[in-house]
Amino acid sequence: MSRLAQLGIAKRLALIVVVGAVMLAALASISLIGQNKLADQAALVSRLQAGQAALNHLDTRQSELKVDAYRSALGQDVTQDVVDDVQSSTEAADAVVAAGLPTDMAATFAENRPDFVDFSAFISDFVTAATADPASVRSRLDEIAERNNKTDDELGALVDRVTAAVDAEQADMSATVNRIRTLSIVVAIAGLVLLVALAIPLARSILVPVRTLGTVIEALARGDLTGRSGITSRDELGRMAAGLDGALDSMRTSMEKIGRDADALAAAAGQLSVVAQRIAEAAANTDRQSAAASAEAEEISRNVQSVAAGSEQMGLAIREISRNTSESAQIASVAVAEAARATET
């Protein structure tokens, strides 16, 4: 579980998909191999049954040839029947060859076929002789049975082998079907067990962190910054949880700093209130002093205006004095001139 938790979510989901794909591929392979084997067995059974039918037909033709010989010995004209039966016997032998029997059976039939040809030739000769003189062939009736028994034994043995092979292949086909069914069931059950064994822990490795993250986020929505996910996996959810825990730590640190700053700000605000009160008192005192200064300034202004008026009057007096002085100077000048003239005189 711990190793699975370290895998990414995509890899974990891909693991389930891969297991499912492998299981389906195994089932498909088993089915395909079984179908191919059944097809091969069915084809072999079909060839065996075709060969069996051809051998039975050949045996029937051999029996018909024997009957033709007996009939000819009784004086019946079976010339055309013999020709037809020989032709049918040859065609039946060709059909056995064309059926594609297994190698050992085909080899056995190839060894026995000359006996069938010889029997057909013997019957043809026998019927020809019987047609010419029926009495001349009556002493050879036992030879018909002897030759026919030989071919019958060979055909019987070969038919028994083919029949046994057909039965064996059909039984093998049934066993193959059962094996394929059993193997498919086993693989399907094993695949389902493996998928369930992987899916449950993988689902838990995804759902448990998601639920934990949901709980932490719900607490965060309520303003609780103390919750932590505690997820340490290295997958996408683990990285998300680490980021959320880091963000919560940062937010909690920031909020604690903001709280300390708020306390300091509150203390500073208290001090500022005291200072503001003192400033207000100083402002009131200043206002009173300003009012007194204003009254004094008005008094000074009135005094200045009085001084200005006196200064203006003084200026007028100074100008009068200056004018009088100028006139006195002119008079003195005239007096000096007169004195000079008096002196000269």
Side-chain angles (χ1 to χ4, degrees):
M1 177 61 185
S2 59
R3 293 184 178 179
L4 291 176
Q6 304 308 318
L7 296 176
I9 295 177
K11 291 183 179 179
R12 279 179 272 178
L13 295 177
L15 180 61
I16 295 177
V17 173
V18 168
V19 171
V22 170
M23 182 186 70
L24 291 177
L27 290 175
S29 299
I30 293 172
S31 177
L32 182 61
I33 293 172
Q35 288 178 357
N36 290 335
K37 186 174 182 180
L38 287 174
D40 294 339
Q41 291 175 331
L44 178 58
V45 169
S46 178
R47 293 197 304 272
L48 288 172
Q49 289 176 340
Q52 184 181 33
L55 288 171
N56 289 329
H57 182 62
L58 177 60
D59 187 36
T60 301
R61 297 293 77 126
Q62 296 287 300
S63 298
E64 290 291 336
L65 287 172
K66 181 178 68 172
V67 171
D68 290 340
Y70 286 130
R71 289 172 60 196
S72 65
L74 295 175
Q76 298 180 10
D77 185 9
V78 294
T79 303
Q80 187 59 44
D81 293 338
V82 170
V83 172
D84 294 338
D85 290 336
V86 169
Q87 180 64 29
S88 297
S89 179
T90 302
E91 291 175 353
D94 292 339
V96 173
V97 175
L101 293 174
T103 303
D104 57 339
M105 299 179 186
T108 300
F109 181 77
E111 293 175 359
N112 296 334
R113 186 170 185 178
D115 295 335
F116 307 142
V117 175
D118 291 343
F119 182 74
S120 297
F122 166 75
I123 295 299
S124 296
D125 294 340
F126 185 90
V127 170
T128 301
T131 302
D133 184 7
S136 63
V137 296
R138 289 175 182 169
S139 61
R140 299 172 56 190
L141 293 177
D142 294 337
E143 187 177 357
I144 298 174
E146 292 176 0
R147 288 179 174 269
N148 183 248
N149 289 336
K150 181 180 181 180
T151 57
D152 280 346
D153 291 341
E154 292 173 348
L155 283 174
L158 192 54
V159 168
D160 291 341
R161 290 175 60 186
V162 173
T163 302
V166 170
D167 294 338
E169 286 299 325
Q170 288 178 341
D172 194 14
M173 287 178 66
S174 298
T176 299
V177 171
N178 293 330
R179 284 196 302 271
I180 293 173
R181 183 184 298 111
T182 302
L183 186 59
S184 298
I185 292 173
V186 170
V187 170
I189 293 175
L192 288 176
V193 170
L194 182 58
L195 281 176
V196 171
L198 287 174
I200 291 177
L202 290 178
R204 291 184 60 189
S205 68
I206 294 174
L207 292 178
V208 172
V210 168
R211 290 172 181 171
T212 303
L213 289 174
T215 302
V216 174
I217 292 173
E218 289 177 358
L220 177 61
R222 295 192 301 268
D224 183 5
L225 301 179
T226 61
R228 298 293 183 273
S229 66
I231 299 173
T232 59
S233 61
R234 294 195 296 269
D235 59 356
E236 292 85 348
L237 291 174
R239 292 193 294 271
M240 185 186 302
L244 178 60
D245 291 344
L248 289 173
D249 290 336
S250 299
M251 291 175 65
R252 184 172 181 178
T253 302
S254 298
M255 293 302 293
E256 289 176 351
K257 184 177 180 181
I258 290 172
R260 291 193 298 270
D261 292 343
D263 293 338
L265 182 60
Q271 295 176 358
L272 183 61
S273 177
V274 174
V275 172
Q277 185 176 359
R278 292 178 181 176
I279 291 174
E281 293 175 356
N285 190 20
T286 301
D287 186 57
R288 290 191 298 271
Q289 292 177 359
S290 295
S294 177
E296 292 177 358
E298 289 179 357
E299 183 64 25
I300 292 171
S301 177
R302 287 193 297 271
N303 293 334
V304 169
Q305 289 176 359
S306 298
V307 172
S311 297
E312 185 177 357
Q313 291 177 0
M314 185 179 292
L316 293 176
I318 291 172
R319 284 194 298 273
E320 183 66 26
I321 294 170
S322 177
R323 188 173 58 257
N324 293 332
T325 301
S326 178
E327 290 176 354
S328 297
Q330 290 177 359
I331 293 172
S333 177
V334 173
V336 170
E338 291 296 331
R341 281 196 302 270
T343 300
E344 289 177 357
T345 303

